[in-house]
Amino acid sequence: MKLGVDNAESLLAYYPVHYDLYTKPEPISGILEGRKCAILAYQAGNIAMHDTGRLKIISVDVQDATGRIRVCWYNAPYIRQVIKRGKPYVLRGVAKRKQGFLVLEHPEIFQPEDYEKKVDILSPVYGLTKGLSNNMVQKAVRAAFAALPGITEYLPDPILKAYGLMDLARAAWSIHFPPDYESFMQARSRLAFDEFFLFILAIRHLRQRLGDAESAFAMHKFWETEDFIEKLPYALTRGQMNIWREIEADLSSGRRMARLIQGDVGSGKTVLAFLAMYMAALNGYQSVLMAPTEVLARQHYEKLQGLLAEQGITGAAPVLLTGSLKAGERKMALRLIEEGSGNLIIGTHALIQKAVRYKNLALVITDEQHRFGVYQRQVLGEREDPPHMMVMSATPIPRTLGVVFYGDLDVSVLSELPAKRLPIKNCVVDSSFRPNAMRFIRKELDAGHQVYIICPMIEPQEGIDAENVTEYVKKMRKAFPDANVACLHGRMKPDEKTKVMEEFSAGQVRALVSTTVVEVGVDVPNATVMMIENAERFGLAALHQLRGRVGRGESQSYCIFMAGQQGEDIRKRLDILNHSNDGFEIAEKDFELRGPGDLLGFRQSGDASFRIADITRDRDLLEKAGNLAGWILKDSSRLYEEEFMPLRRKLEDYLKENEGSLTI
Ligand code: ADP
Ligand code: MG
């Protein structure tokens, strides 16, 4: 299977992306645009056929006691044989506005008595790839449950009771096939709790093991770092300066640094990493900066190289190590690292493979940490002489939650954006605005600026009405032949991606049509327009990150959220972004607006650490999990008590699973 699912157990954890809830039929007069609904109705006119060449459309009016609505189906000629006059049907689909009228598009058809049986049952919808139907996945999951020896509980009964948790075996089954809404909610809570609990337990456990010991890499302060700051093309903000002082103090304290630097997108975290790395180099040590994507790693590398060259610094040598290096380049990089002559090491996961031998690694920095499992970070940390650790994150975790997660990790918050930044101007529009948007893009291109356009899809896909990169880039090339429009998406080869990103950074490519692969960290200050197609398809956190790609230079920047579907809900949600530039506030408001009803949908994007749990909406679970982990670890012998043996085993499995084969 193409789903990244290769055994029965991972199939069980292949959670539905959302659930279809068959609701009671509602009156036609109450139908809202853009929402899924079911109606119980009779045929009220003749069936009409219409052939556009590409599509065969069948349409018919139906009615109930409250009103009438047009229904249409695409390429489904058999419908004519299905619908009979004088008989009631349940039709279930989404109402869209066409030429001013609501039309129920391509609804499912049921006999009323069949539909009745489905009402209020949640049926799982899985994320699919080509050639696999939802039914096939459902069957496979059922088969997996039958074939496996059964998932067993690992928490003692009294704890389940005290924390109000559903039994794990039941939760595992119910998340796929919830008998009712209540069971679904309990199953969801249990699995979310487990994600938090094991995560927190593992981090704190590892930290206890590593200890808060003295560092083998005590450093001295050097005036060269002051010089570096002075010669930067900009002045550091007060916030950056304060945090730099904290880092400098940590590194020279004689104890091991463990610091989380939190700052919203664009707040200027990268330069702090460079400074810390430079300080390590001045002390004769190696340091590592680990980025979640190749594009980002390369960008950091080039930026650092540029700064060092500008300042004429020669004693510090950056090395790039990513998965897409050619064999020769890779060999060279590995040698530089092993010899120690490469001392500023930047890369991706490739940095934690066995083949990489560090000479004297004293500092490990992970950028955009939420994209990594913490274990990759820990792997570098679990050396005989554990290096200093610094984590940079734009994830809006309030300080109190940071404490739950990271225990005694020190947290620095970068709360201001660099000066001279104009706030980004936002607008939320629908697709009728597109011609205006294109004129606007023309103007910005003419002013020498660059443009991002984001589409949710790579290619057109049947049944999904959303913009895709492949077709969009053609349109853009036609519309802006002088802009050297390029495209970027996750299915391109790494070196193709790198090339496009480099050309965009260098200003040769002036308009980039991309999927959300640019979401994290990419920095091209000359880009002033971010236009997001089908903005309704993205989570607000992702949209906020995307918006953070512009507004990085001194020119006014703009973000256009283009909604492909209309609807009051969609507008309200997107309006949150319109009114706030604060990542955490956005997450909170989003949660309030979505309300608990939205729990039926899982991940909207990104955030790899948790699959079900959501830091914002599951805050109380997070706190509970933190409490339990704290209580268990408080007494170091507790994990060895008889009743916690299953938990111990679970924790060991969890650590192993998450470390994978990654050891140094
Ligand atoms: P993030 O915190 O999102 O990682 P970056 O470190 O990528 O942000 O910084 C965003 C942009 O702001 C970069 O182009 C960087 O060079 C620039 N920058 C960083 N600090 C300052 C500053 N004090 N003044 C002006 N520009 C800055
Ligand atoms: Mg960054």
Side-chain angles (χ1 to χ4, degrees):
M1 271 199 244
K2 269 208 210 131
L3 303 164
V5 173
D6 47 14
N7 59 36
E9 253 169 81
S10 51
L11 189 58
L12 294 187
Y14 186 65
Y15 299 134
V17 283
H18 65 98
Y19 299 81
D20 228 355
L21 177 60
Y22 290 83
T23 51
K24 288 210 173 64
E26 51 189 295
I28 289 178
S29 61
I31 292 177
L32 290 176
E33 182 181 351
R35 262 231 195 117
K36 193 154 229 179
C37 65
I39 57 174
L40 178 67
Y42 293 85
Q43 181 178 346
N46 292 327
I47 296 182
M49 294 275 292
H50 179 67
D51 196 337
T52 66
R54 200 165 63 95
L55 279 179
K56 291 188 176 41
I57 306 174
I58 289 187
S59 63
V60 61
D61 285 358
V62 300
Q63 65 180 20
D64 66 9
T66 68
R68 203 173 158 113
I69 188 169
R70 162 97 19 114
V71 183
C72 68
W73 286 273
Y74 304 115
N75 293 339
Y78 56 89
I79 293 289
R80 274 186 307 175
Q81 273 74 58
V82 175
I83 300 244
K84 302 250 161 28
R85 271 185 196 276
K87 286 191 61 186
Y89 297 94
V90 174
L91 303 172
R92 178 169 181 270
V94 178
K96 297 215 176 127
R97 196 165 292 278
K98 301 248 152 125
Q99 281 130 22
F101 293 99
L102 281 183
V103 175
L104 196 58
E105 259 193 336
H106 209 81
E108 302 166 77
I109 307 182
F110 301 90
Q111 304 295 338
E113 57 278 13
D114 293 340
Y115 191 78
E116 194 59 38
K117 287 184 210 135
K118 283 185 172 274
V119 166
D120 285 342
I121 289 183
L122 297 168
S123 78
V125 178
Y126 295 92
L128 300 173
T129 53
K130 260 198 185 127
L132 265 185
S133 74
N134 202 43
N135 264 333
M136 287 158 77
V137 180
Q138 282 197 26
K139 267 200 198 129
V141 173
R142 277 179 203 276
F145 268 106
L148 281 179
I151 293 173
T152 46
E153 182 56 69
Y154 62 91
L155 286 174
D157 225 27
I159 287 187
L160 293 184
K161 290 230 167 63
Y163 283 82
L165 297 172
M166 185 187 240
D167 174 80
L168 186 60
R170 231 182 102 203
W173 169 262
S174 302
I175 202 70
H176 289 281
F177 307 109
D180 50 45
Y181 189 72
E182 185 55 33
S183 316
F184 163 75
M185 288 300 284
Q186 283 178 15
R188 185 193 175 280
S189 287
R190 171 63 207 261
L191 298 175
F193 180 90
D194 276 32
E195 286 185 339
F196 283 146
F197 174 64
L198 289 169
F199 183 86
I200 295 170
L201 195 65
I203 300 186
R204 295 208 192 154
H205 178 68
L206 284 172
R207 256 188 88 66
Q208 269 187 3
R209 235 165 60 196
L210 293 177
D212 204 13
E214 280 180 18
S215 170
F217 305 105
M219 300 190 196
H220 299 290
K221 297 180 185 176
F222 276 79
W223 61 265
E224 278 90 342
T225 54
E226 303 299 312
D227 219 26
F228 185 90
I229 293 171
E230 213 162 89
K231 289 188 190 150
L232 282 171
Y234 44 76
L236 288 189
T237 63
R238 191 133 45 93
Q240 283 172 314
M241 207 58 206
N242 289 343
I243 295 181
W244 165 239
R245 293 286 171 237
E246 288 175 333
I247 295 169
E248 203 182 24
D250 283 351
L251 292 176
S252 47
S253 71
R255 306 189 72 75
R256 200 170 154 241
M257 170 164 82
R259 185 170 288 280
L260 171 68
I261 314 275
Q262 233 182 277
D264 214 340
V265 282
S267 57
K269 297 182 287 292
T270 318
V271 68
L272 297 173
F274 290 169
L275 274 165
M277 294 174 85
Y278 187 35
M279 178 161 164
L282 291 166
N283 279 280
Y285 296 130
Q286 287 179 313
S287 56
V288 147
L289 172 58
M290 190 157 55
T293 63
E294 298 242 351
V295 166
L296 198 50
R298 190 167 283 271
Q299 185 183 285
H300 285 334
Y301 171 72
E302 275 162 14
K303 186 127 297 142
L304 179 57
Q305 226 177 14
L307 284 173
L308 294 173
E310 258 168 46
Q311 305 204 4
I313 294 170
T314 50
V319 190
L320 179 71
L321 186 65
T322 67
S324 70
L325 291 187
K326 304 213 173 61
E329 296 170 328
R330 181 180 154 78
K331 227 167 129 191
M332 176 70 135
L334 290 177
R335 213 183 64 218
L336 291 175
I337 293 169
E338 185 162 359
E339 285 171 355
S341 48
N343 50 5
L344 308 172
I345 304 160
I346 299 183
T348 53
H349 294 79
L351 291 170
I352 45 181
Q353 286 156 356
K354 267 213 177 86
V356 192
R357 298 191 188 288
Y358 297 94
K359 172 125 185 282
N360 53 7
L361 182 57
L363 167 67
V364 173
I365 306 174
T366 38
D367 189 14
E368 308 293 350
Q369 150 277 331
H370 60 296
R371 290 288 165 122
F372 276 118
V374 336
Y375 304 98
Q376 290 146 341
R377 172 156 46 97
Q378 294 291 357
V379 167
L380 283 174
E382 285 212 30
R383 302 163 59 81
E384 201 177 326
D385 290 322
H388 299 285
M389 289 279 176
M390 183 168 138
V391 178
M392 303 195 292
S393 170
T395 308
I397 307 177
R399 200 184 276 258
T400 50
L401 291 189
V403 173
V404 178
F405 273 116
Y406 301 109
D408 51 353
L409 203 68
D410 297 314
V411 182
S412 304
V413 180
L414 200 48
S415 50
E416 60 197 312
L417 294 183
K420 288 206 196 151
R421 295 275 177 79
L422 297 167
I424 299 168
K425 291 194 173 152
N426 302 296
C427 66
V428 179
V429 295
D430 61 50
S431 46
S432 66
F433 184 81
R434 201 176 284 118
N436 286 335
M438 290 299 161
R439 271 197 296 280
F440 184 72
I441 286 174
R442 176 78 266 165
K443 237 177 61 197
E444 285 295 306
L445 287 172
D446 287 344
H449 296 144
Q450 286 165 279
V451 175
Y452 292 97
I453 293 176
I454 307 296
C455 301
M457 316 276 295
I458 298 178
E459 286 169 343
Q461 202 174 322
E462 216 172 301
I464 301 183
D465 190 10
E467 298 292 337
N468 68 83
V469 169
T470 312
E471 289 177 346
Y472 211 106
V473 74
K474 288 185 199 147
K475 276 194 284 186
M476 288 291 291
R477 281 188 178 132
K478 230 192 214 146
F480 306 105
D482 57 318
N484 196 11
V485 183
C487 71
L488 189 70
H489 59 74
R491 256 190 255 142
M492 288 162 57
K493 293 212 191 77
D495 46 344
E496 286 175 318
K497 279 191 274 191
T498 305
K499 185 160 165 277
V500 168
M501 217 39 236
E502 270 171 5
E503 288 173 355
F504 189 63
S505 291
Q508 291 150 347
V509 167
R510 304 189 42 233
L512 186 65
V513 181
S514 169
T515 56
T516 51
V517 292
V518 292
E519 179 182 322
V520 196
V522 171
D523 183 44
V524 181
N526 188 45
T528 54
V529 181
M530 165 62 70
M531 176 154 110
I532 303 166
E533 290 282 355
N534 297 103
E536 75 281 0
R537 289 182 163 262
F538 299 102
L540 290 192
L543 291 173
H544 179 60
Q545 288 285 337
L546 285 168
R547 170 168 65 187
R549 297 311 111 218
V550 296
R552 298 181 151 248
E554 288 176 21
S555 306
Q556 177 65 55
S557 287
Y558 306 86
C559 186
I560 305 170
F561 300 105
M562 183 83 74
Q565 275 177 43
Q566 300 198 357
E568 192 53 24
D569 297 3
I570 292 171
R571 179 164 287 276
K572 256 201 193 143
R573 238 182 99 230
L574 294 178
D575 258 352
I576 295 175
L577 291 168
N578 224 342
H579 293 117
S580 178
N581 269 316
D582 173 334
F584 188 65
E585 192 183 318
I586 289 170
E588 296 255 276
K589 288 248 176 72
D590 189 20
F591 175 51
E592 273 166 36
L593 196 67
R594 283 179 296 164
D598 190 58
L599 289 174
L600 287 186
F602 290 156
R603 284 271 140 260
Q604 298 199 53
S605 84
D607 206 339
S609 307
F610 305 109
R611 314 217 359 252
I612 291 189
D614 180 313
I615 294 169
T616 325
R617 57 166 81 139
D618 297 318
R619 240 207 246 198
D620 50 337
L621 285 176
L622 177 59
E623 270 162 35
K624 274 196 208 168
N627 288 343
L628 182 57
W631 178 76
I632 287 176
L633 291 179
K634 202 161 112 208
D635 181 352
S636 58
S637 61
R638 192 160 280 146
L639 261 182
Y640 296 86
E641 283 167 17
E642 182 65 25
E643 61 168 343
F644 287 115
M645 279 319 279
L647 171 60
R648 239 189 97 69
R649 246 174 272 132
K650 181 89 181 170
L651 179 63
E652 272 159 19
D653 287 350
Y654 184 83
L655 290 170
K656 234 184 275 155
E657 234 169 75
N658 287 284
E659 275 173 358
S661 54
L662 311 166
T663 44
I664 299 184

